[in-house]
Amino acid sequence: MCAPKSGTSWHIVGPLGVAGMDHSRTGCAKAEHFHVVTPLLESWALSQVAGVTVFLKCENVQPAGSFKIRGIGHFCQEVAKKGCRHLVCSSGGNAGIAAAYAARKLGIPATIVLPEGTSPQVVKRLQGEGAEVQLTGKVWDEASLKAQELAKRDGWVNVHPFDHRLIWEGHASLVRELKAALGTPPGALVLAVGGGGLLAGVSAGLAEVGWQHVPIIAVETRGAHCFNAAIKAGRLVTLPEITSVAKSLGAKTVAARALECTQELEIISEVVEDVQAVSAVQRFLDDERILVEPACGAALAVIYSGLLERLQAEGRLHSPLASVVVIVCGGNSINSGGLQALKAQLSQS
């Protein structure tokens, strides 16, 4: 492990594991997980802003760049056991990279179907994993239809980016790691919502470890707020289009399971503006030297925008809180130039 940078505001709360050295080699044992145990770090900078201890669950260091490898890796391993000969996945990027990574580890070919606006760096990464890349449609929903069509071929299996029981099972591993690292439950858990797979998995994990009383602050950006819209309507809602810059949150309809979770746990749905999410990305980069996507910035904006304090002031969250865990979900569709372009775009709108 490399040494922390001088002046870092972190200390490691839990063990930083890599779940076995074989994960770095093609052809690793199929019984092993493809995700790694990620560090849980206490952030001095975010704790100062929030007025409460803030822990960062750093999913950005997963081998496929985001938390997606937990659920998708688990799904791919299970279908491989049942004879899958070709994986196909529709994705705005992160799920596709996770599927391609898992396919390479399993020795199975993969086809990844992406919206036409996907960044060149994501396409290059997918091709580097050995996957065939097809660009179809303007949004994820259109790419998903193409993936479903391809999956009708004999031996092909469609890897849904977020809406499957096996994917939620895989994501639940994140909460088991939190329990091992913290011991006692945090006062709240913050995560971003796109299609709802992470929310469904974390909800399952909280129930599994007996932490179902921990409130989840589930955050979306306006223009990709299908979960919030569904809660307000009391049913699934399909957004007419995705207008947010947080393209990784760009499912027009949330998974039905995510909506069901609101009946089982305390879930606080909040919507932030794109400018707040991108500002959080910049501040997080300055504070912690970590660059993440606007989708992840939506979760970080709970701290940076003062939303956490507002929820406490409104009595929707306990005050004081024992601690807050923010899931730094990661993301592959960002670089320094992309961040500057987003800031310029939002300053002109």
Side-chain angles (χ1 to χ4, degrees):
M1 187 193 312
C2 61
K5 295 183 179 180
S6 176
T8 181
S9 58
W10 296 345
H11 70 263
I12 297 179
V13 178
L16 174 57
V18 293
M21 291 298 291
D22 284 345
H23 282 288
S24 63
R25 300 196 296 265
T26 301
C28 66
K30 294 183 180 181
E32 296 179 351
H33 298 303
F34 293 148
H35 67 267
V36 301
V37 177
T38 55
L40 181 69
L41 306 174
E42 180 178 347
S43 170
W44 180 87
L46 273 76
S47 297
Q48 290 295 301
V49 173
V52 64
T53 300
V54 175
F55 295 111
L56 307 172
K57 184 58 171 165
C58 297
E59 292 297 290
N60 56 299
V61 302
Q62 289 289 358
S66 79
F67 74 94
K68 292 281 189 179
I69 190 59
R70 292 182 182 272
I72 286 178
H74 179 57
F75 177 95
C76 293
Q77 286 178 303
E78 291 302 307
V79 298
K81 292 175 186 176
K82 297 177 181 178
C84 167
R85 298 197 304 273
H86 197 121
L87 293 165
V88 58
C89 180
S90 58
S91 167
N94 295 319
I97 289 173
Y101 178 88
R104 178 169 63 82
K105 291 292 186 182
L106 290 164
I108 297 173
T111 297
I112 311 300
V113 187
L114 302 172
E116 293 168 355
T118 301
S119 70
Q121 72 191 77
V122 170
V123 173
K124 183 178 180 181
R125 170 67 187 276
L126 287 166
Q127 292 171 336
E129 292 286 358
E132 175 196 6
V133 178
Q134 294 187 18
L135 301 179
T136 302
K138 294 182 178 180
V139 294
W140 172 79
D141 301 73
E142 295 171 11
S144 179
L145 291 174
K146 177 64 174 179
Q148 291 172 44
E149 179 184 329
L150 291 172
K152 294 176 183 177
R153 298 178 181 178
D154 186 44
W156 289 45
V157 173
N158 183 31
V159 185
H160 197 286
F162 55 83
D163 196 2
H164 195 281
R165 176 185 55 82
L166 290 173
I167 290 174
W168 310 330
E169 285 180 5
H171 292 336
S173 62
L174 186 154
V175 182
R176 292 193 289 272
E177 292 173 20
L178 289 179
K179 177 71 177 291
L182 288 175
T184 56
L189 197 154
V190 183
L191 53 78
V193 176
L198 179 59
L199 175 62
V202 165
S203 296
L206 290 174
E208 178 185 328
V209 304
W211 282 5
Q212 58 265 40
H213 62 285
V214 175
I216 300 172
I217 306 173
V219 196
E220 299 165 283
T221 49
R222 194 173 308 282
H225 57 290
C226 58
F227 179 57
N228 185 265
I231 289 176
K232 289 182 176 178
R235 56 177 174 78
L236 294 181
V237 171
T238 299
L239 300 177
E241 60 180 334
I242 301 299
T243 58
S244 171
V245 300
K247 300 303 181 185
S248 290
L249 301 182
K252 292 197 291 186
T253 309
V254 76
R257 177 60 192 149
L259 195 56
E260 292 171 1
C261 289
T262 63
Q263 305 301 313
E264 302 166 11
L265 295 94
E266 182 182 354
I267 299 176
I268 301 170
S269 171
E270 291 291 329
V271 177
V272 299
E273 304 298 331
D274 276 347
V275 67
Q276 292 174 304
V278 172
S279 173
V281 169
Q282 180 65 65
R283 291 184 65 178
F284 192 61
L285 176 61
D286 293 340
D287 285 340
E288 304 292 5
R289 284 79 63 197
I290 297 174
L291 180 58
V292 295
E293 288 184 1
C296 185
L300 294 167
V302 170
I303 306 298
Y304 285 122
S305 72
L307 176 55
L308 184 73
E309 293 174 303
R310 176 170 67 78
L311 292 172
Q312 290 179 289
E314 293 173 353
R316 298 170 65 193
L317 274 180
H318 292 298
S319 183
L321 292 168
S323 63
V324 175
V325 172
V326 179
I327 298 178
V328 182
C329 52
N332 295 281
S333 298
I334 191 69
N335 56 26
S336 58
L339 176 57
Q340 297 310 311
L342 285 170
K343 289 166 63 178
Q345 174 187 338
L346 292 171
S347 69
Q348 296 169 2
S349 61

